[in-house]
Amino acid sequence: MSDLAFAVLRTLADGRFHSGEAMAQALGCSRTLVWQAVHHLENEFGLTIFSVRGQGYRLPQPFALLDVPAIRHQLGEDAANVFTLALADEIDSSNTQLTTRAAQGAPHGLVLAAERQTAGRGRLGRRWQMQLGAGLTFSVLWRFDRGLSGLAGLSLVVGIALVRALRQFGAPVTLKWPNDVLLDGRKLAGILIELSGDALGSAAVVIGIGLNLSAPGDVDQPVANLADAGIKVGRNVLLGTLLNQLAPLLSQFDREGFAAFRDEWHGMAAYLAQPVRLNFSHGEPVEGIAVGVDDNGALLVDTAAGRRVFHVGEVSLRAS
Ligand code: BTN
């Protein structure tokens, strides 16, 4: 039913009335199936659809679906040369799909953006859910030459790319270690990086990004979205802008590692010189003052027992 629901959504996307009969004819199915697809859009996808006798169905406003030419139109030379764009209406998770495709030899720079994820994943085993059309969910496959051990700090660099892009639209965003993007202190975007490869040789990395544009995803902490901050930007424009920032930063990271980005990360960081609490999946939390990150992107915290170093992993940070 999801396939037909997306076909109906494509018709309704212009925000005008379309009769069930005309849609049934165009889509080669019965009016009953169109009616079921409309219900699917409402009940499963959370969309509002007006239904008026004699006129048909319409959305409250036009709906801009993800569109490869529209995204490509935004890309500068760097990004256009390196990224291959792929879109999916509904998949389990763009990270899961790209990880599978990476193992099957998918090319460096493949980007997969999904309208809807049925099993979107966040860090530390959490779920990542987003209402249809309310944000961006996409993943990038990047093949690095620096080996798995040289990838420490990558997630922080991806955070820098997101902040650079979002600040172009006037969003006063900051970064929370290791890689949440915050707007007014609340989570606007998250990054899930998954690695496979050799300790020293080449590594295939799937970089998954979820970003709220108009309604929060389902996360376990206060969330933000761009619309509430008065920032209106289309999803295709935003995705293109993010990719423009990611292309040169990922290349530079491959050549130079995190040390080259450390100062810029400090300039974007929330909670620097502030009391924080680190929670672990196992063991007691640690409290202290966040003083910065080292050349590998590890967090430095001054605790009562002295300075401690925390690596990206099973750690989550909160202001305390
Ligand atoms: C987090 O903050 O916990 C990370 C969230 C990452 C979510 C994105 S959405 C696109 C990609 N596919 C997934 O299943 N997860 C990432």
Side-chain angles (χ1 to χ4, degrees):
M1 183 47 73
S2 281
D3 283 354
L4 186 61
F6 272 103
V8 168
L9 177 59
R10 286 202 157 75
T11 310
L12 297 177
D14 59 9
R16 295 163 184 263
F17 273 114
H18 295 268
S19 74
E21 193 174 342
M23 284 197 282
Q25 221 164 42
L27 299 171
C29 64
S30 67
R31 278 169 57 181
T32 309
L33 272 178
V34 168
W35 179 82
Q36 285 172 359
V38 167
H39 275 257
H40 198 79
L41 289 172
E42 289 180 306
N43 301 332
E44 298 295 320
F45 294 5
L47 298 180
T48 301
I49 296 181
F50 299 136
S51 165
V52 176
R53 191 180 287 273
Q55 295 199 71
Y57 306 103
R58 87 170 170 83
L59 291 164
Q61 62 264 321
F63 186 103
L65 286 139
L66 291 168
D67 179 59
V68 168
I71 300 162
R72 189 154 277 285
H73 183 69
Q74 299 299 321
L75 299 186
E77 207 181 319
D78 271 6
N81 285 338
V82 76
F83 290 127
T84 306
L85 304 176
L87 300 180
D89 283 342
E90 183 176 281
I91 48 176
D92 48 0
S93 144
S94 56
N95 263 42
T96 305
Q97 290 291 322
L98 268 199
T99 302
T100 306
R101 292 196 204 178
Q104 295 164 346
H108 171 75
L110 179 61
V111 177
L112 177 61
E115 289 291 0
R116 184 164 191 260
Q117 296 188 125
T118 52
R121 294 183 286 110
R123 285 182 66 238
L124 311 176
R126 298 178 185 128
R127 286 185 321 150
W128 182 271
Q129 280 191 320
M130 197 170 266
Q131 201 190 316
L132 186 71
L136 276 181
T137 48
F138 69 101
S139 303
V140 176
L141 171 61
W142 199 270
R143 295 183 183 277
F144 287 94
D145 287 329
R146 49 179 31 253
L148 292 181
S149 49
L151 292 173
L154 171 61
S155 63
L156 283 71
V157 170
V158 174
I160 292 174
L162 299 193
V163 167
R164 282 194 193 176
L166 290 162
R167 287 187 180 173
Q168 287 180 30
F169 300 102
V173 283
T174 55
L175 288 172
K176 189 187 85 166
W177 186 89
N179 52 15
D180 285 351
V181 179
L182 303 182
L183 178 63
D184 295 329
R186 289 173 295 138
K187 181 160 171 167
L188 176 74
I191 301 162
L192 177 66
I193 294 194
E194 296 179 302
L195 316 166
S196 55
D198 309 330
L200 300 172
S202 64
V205 178
V206 173
I207 301 163
I209 294 168
L211 192 152
N212 304 322
L213 268 90
S214 57
D218 174 14
V219 289
D220 67 337
Q221 55 182 299
V223 289
N225 67 75
L226 288 179
D228 282 355
I231 294 161
K232 297 242 179 323
V233 50
R235 292 187 305 146
N236 293 307
V237 172
L238 183 58
L239 180 49
T241 309
L242 293 171
L243 293 174
N244 281 336
Q245 292 298 336
L246 280 167
L249 265 67
L250 293 175
S251 302
Q252 190 186 348
F253 175 82
D254 203 8
R255 291 191 310 271
E256 301 171 18
F258 178 70
F261 297 95
R262 193 175 160 206
D263 288 347
E264 185 170 4
W265 193 88
H266 281 147
M268 294 174 167
Y271 305 146
L272 269 199
Q274 288 180 31
V276 294
R277 166 194 277 252
L278 292 162
N279 294 315
F280 303 87
S281 42
H282 303 290
E284 289 297 301
V286 170
E287 299 207 330
I289 305 290
V291 292
V293 291
D294 69 10
D295 279 351
N296 294 313
L299 182 69
L300 308 172
V301 179
D302 282 348
T303 70
R307 179 158 297 182
R308 293 185 57 183
V309 181
F310 296 95
H311 298 275
V312 179
E314 299 294 287
V315 193
S316 68
L317 177 146
R318 296 277 184 278
S320 74

